[in-house]
Amino acid sequence: MIWLEGVCCQRDGALVLDTVTLGVARSELIVIEGASASGKSTLLELAAAARMPDRGAVWFAGRNTASLQRASLPFVRRNIGYCTADPLLLLEETALVNVMLALAVRGESPERAEQLARDALALVRASDLENRKVASMSSGQKRLVALARAVAGPPPLVVADEPAAGVGDEAREIVARALIAARDSGAAVLAATADTALADLLVQRGGRRIHLDQGRIAGAPAIGLVPAFTPSPVLAETDRPRVITLDVDDDNESVLPPATRGPA
């Protein structure tokens, strides 16, 4: 589903990611662990097409997003459920509306979007927040709503940065259940956390753990590490998260996978 190939990133002149290669398949969950400033959030920003690498490629649905024009990026992002470390929600809208909007962008009908949004909020035990404006919520409640928005559907790719931060010990199980449910429904799931207990929960339920250390995958050479995939049972085609068309205006062959490029 997504393939990050030799990606490098700098912030303020310092190397944050150093030639990392990583892939996440459909129905797979990978949890990234690492200390503060190890590059976790930057790696997830690349996966969510929220940031472009300084070097390397990010392949999603057969396109190199690192080479797309800015105007084409929304076609990619609407296929990604991205739960940021600081939840980005519409404060004057209700929880239900916030989740429905993400589904509407992916082409769901109003009726279908409402049902999927209610299901997602129920999954994170936030049904009681449906009609509350986000501005009136605690930070932990906002994070649960943001997670519900990310997994609603689910989209083909779910990216979650510190999804259990600030939600309390009791909610850790809820967060893990939501991410596992998205994976079991066919989504590729990439999460990052400094919460070892959450990481342990995800690994116990079939997730793959990878450590980042100073911008590199721990124990890997400079070229990075490609995890061996263990695909889940094949889903029926109708059950798989569908990728909304990524047809874009870019004619540059660098946005296409090597196998689909024309003669050199």
Side-chain angles (χ1 to χ4, degrees), residues 3 13 53 84 102 124 132 164 171 179 183 214 242 245 258 262:
W3 176 265
T84 59
V124 299
R132 279 185 57 182
L179 295 174
R183 179 204 64 187
Q214 297 183 344
R242 70 182 191 279
T245 179

Side-chain angles (χ1 to χ4, degrees), residues 49-95:
R51 178 186 176 95
M52 297 298 108
D54 296 315
R55 190 170 72 243
V58 180
W59 301 99
F60 178 70
R63 292 277 182 171
N64 179 9
T65 64
S67 298
L68 291 177
Q69 298 175 7
R70 184 180 298 273
S72 298
L73 291 175
F75 292 91
V76 175
R77 291 172 180 153
R78 65 184 180 180
N79 291 282
I80 301 170
Y82 185 23
C83 180
T84 59
D86 182 16
L88 300 176
L89 298 167
L90 299 176
L91 297 181
E92 295 306 315
E93 297 291 352
T94 65

Side-chain angles (χ1 to χ4, degrees), residues 41 44-45 82-88 139 143 146 159-163 165 192:
S41 292
L44 265 60
E45 288 175 357
Y82 185 23
C83 180
T84 59
D86 182 16
L88 300 176
S139 60
R143 189 167 296 279
V159 178
D161 192 358
E162 297 293 353

Side-chain angles (χ1 to χ4, degrees), residues 1 19-20 52 58-59 91 100 104-107 120 158 160 191 218 235:
M1 176 53 63
T19 324
V20 172
M52 297 298 108
V58 180
W59 301 99
L91 297 181
M100 285 181 62
V105 168
R106 295 209 301 270
V158 173
L235 296 171

